Amino acid sequence: GNVILNRNPYSWHRCSGPEFIKEAITPGGISFSFSPQLFRQANLDQFGKIVEKIEEWVPQDSVVCELYAGIGIIGLSIIHKVKRIKCSDVSSFNLRAFERAKEKLQP
C-alpha cells in the first residue's frame, strides 16, 4: 500500500520531534496544529487572505455550517463574529487538532 498517503496511523512511525507542527494562518490569528495525517493548504499566506475575506463576507451574528471543515481553520477564525457555528468533516484525524485550536479560544 501507499505508506506516504495512507490514513492508517500505524502505517508510519514518528522518529523524533513534536507530534504536531503549529502554524498561524491569519495575522494575529490563533495557531493551528497539524500532524502528518492532516490536510494542510500548500500556500498558507494566500489561504490566510481567503479566510480574511470570508470573515468580511459572513454577516455579524449569523449561523454558519462549515462542511469539509478539516481542522476548523475557517470556522474557528470567524467564531467571534457568528452566533453559532457547526464544523463538520468525515476524517477522525481532524478532531484532536480541532480541539487543540478550540481550547486556545476558551477564556
Side-chain angles (χ1 to χ4, degrees):
N2 187 340
V3 176
I4 295 173
L5 300 177
N6 193 333
R7 294 205 180 263
N8 179 349
Y10 304 106
S11 66
W12 54 272
H13 177 74
R14 177 172 47 99
C15 296
S16 66
E19 180 180 0
F20 292 94
I21 60 167
K22 294 179 185 166
E23 303 248 22
I25 307 301
T26 58
I30 62 174
S31 62
F32 289 87
S33 301
F34 295 91
S35 72
Q37 299 108 327
L38 303 178
F39 172 79
R40 177 190 171 281
Q41 294 289 338
N43 187 335
L44 289 180
D45 292 334
Q46 198 62 30
F47 183 62
K49 292 175 185 175
I50 292 169
V51 171
E52 289 173 342
K53 281 293 178 191
I54 291 170
E55 183 178 358
E56 287 177 26
W57 296 333
V58 171
Q60 188 72 33
D61 296 324
S62 59
V63 175
V64 174
C65 179
E66 181 186 2
L67 301 176
Y68 309 99
I71 63 172
I73 293 171
I74 296 171
L76 293 176
S77 294
I78 64 170
I79 198 167
H80 65 280
K81 187 175 183 179
V82 300
K83 181 190 283 186
R84 192 174 78 217
I85 189 153
K86 178 81 169 182
C87 295
S88 175
D89 198 283
V90 69
S91 174
S92 61
F93 294 112
N94 294 320
L95 186 58
R96 283 189 60 217
F98 176 85
E99 291 297 334
R100 287 170 63 102
K102 186 177 163 192
E103 287 172 2
K104 296 174 189 169
L105 299 173
Q106 304 297 327

